[in-house]
Amino acid sequence: TQESNPLKKYYRQPKQFVRLPSNYKYYKPGTIQIPESGEVAVFPMTAKDELLFKTPDALLNGEAVASLIRSCVPDVKDPKKMFSADVDALLIAIRGASGGDDVEVAATCPLCETVTDVTISVEASLQGMEELEEEYELTLTNGLLVKGLPFTYFSTIRAGVASFQSTRSMQSISEMEDDMERLSAFNDSFVKLADLNFELLVDSIKS
């Protein structure tokens, strides 16, 4: 049994407790099991988690990040339905839980472009995150009131994959010799991106 297991003291223990920037607003039931404290427990990464992060395909389609969050944040039941701001917070917290509070980051100066190694505190970064507002509203010029939703992680994945595919398409198009064939391929790629942008916009509208 777990009680008599001599390895019990080596089981993973939560290293961080994090309140998400969304404060759990907007979420449908089943996405996150909200603790009474309002802070989700974050466990350190396992060796399996780290190996998965070395798989490019899993990173591209978002499966690696979703699997990591399921492993390290058991309260999250459906990572792909989370908002990007919350996913960012959890990834920072997982990094802190797995490697300590201090993180070395290479920062580039926007003026002279000098690259400098900077030490950043995970705890300070999490505490400095702003909470999402109760509602996001925009009144259009015709008087229509639009209420928006934060960007979801699933939408971020779709946009990232589309960007990757678009880059690949542009490389292929540049190698075409026939002008009409190249123009047709470019138009197809442009229409796909326009359709995706429209779908992402619709997904971000609450009412």
Side-chain angles (χ1 to χ4, degrees):
T1 65
Q2 180 174 323
E3 286 73 18
S4 61
N5 191 330
L7 298 177
K8 181 181 177 182
K9 65 179 181 179
Y10 297 106
Y11 287 175
R12 280 198 301 173
Q13 299 294 326
K15 295 292 183 69
Q16 296 265 5
F17 290 89
V18 181
R19 180 179 292 276
L20 300 181
S22 69
N23 201 19
Y24 314 104
K25 296 187 288 281
Y26 310 107
Y27 283 124
K28 295 180 180 179
T31 304
I32 302 177
Q33 182 178 325
I34 305 172
E36 289 186 11
S37 66
E39 296 182 330
V40 293
V42 180
F43 292 74
M45 286 191 290
T46 65
K48 182 180 177 181
D49 295 331
E50 295 194 32
L51 287 173
L52 187 59
F53 257 71
K54 296 179 181 179
T55 307
D57 288 348
L59 285 172
L60 183 62
N61 64 22
E63 284 302 325
V65 172
S67 176
L68 176 70
I69 291 176
R70 277 192 293 266
S71 171
C72 297
V73 193
D75 289 327
V76 176
K77 307 305 178 185
D78 195 343
K80 287 188 178 181
K81 290 184 179 178
M82 295 185 69
F83 299 115
S84 290
D86 286 348
V87 172
D88 288 343
L90 288 182
L91 291 178
I92 293 172
I94 291 170
R95 173 62 181 82
S98 304
D101 187 62
D102 292 336
V103 179
E104 293 289 335
V105 178
T108 303
C109 174
L111 298 178
C112 65
E113 298 186 354
T114 300
V115 179
T116 306
D117 290 330
V118 181
T119 301
I120 295 178
S121 165
V122 168
E123 189 66 31
S125 298
L126 292 172
Q127 291 179 355
M129 286 190 171
E130 295 183 3
E131 187 175 309
L132 297 183
E133 298 176 12
E134 290 291 337
E135 281 192 326
Y136 292 88
E137 296 183 348
L138 173 67
T139 301
L140 305 182
T141 54
N142 61 4
L144 189 65
L145 177 65
V146 179
K147 294 185 178 181
L149 292 169
F151 215 48
T152 64
Y153 179 59
F154 180 67
S155 294
T156 303
I157 294 171
R158 293 176 64 195
V161 171
S163 176
F164 174 78
Q165 292 175 339
S166 177
T167 301
R168 292 283 297 273
S169 296
M170 290 301 107
Q171 291 174 346
S172 299
I173 291 171
S174 65
E175 296 172 359
M176 295 179 179
E177 295 183 0
D178 184 85
D179 288 342
M180 292 304 296
E181 184 180 357
R182 186 163 57 243
L183 181 60
S184 176
F186 175 79
N187 286 339
D188 288 342
S189 179
F190 182 81
V191 169
K192 287 181 180 178
L193 282 177
D195 288 343
L196 175 64
N197 284 333
F198 179 76
E199 291 173 12
L200 295 179
L201 178 63
V202 171
D203 287 343
S204 294
I205 295 177
K206 181 180 179 182
S207 64

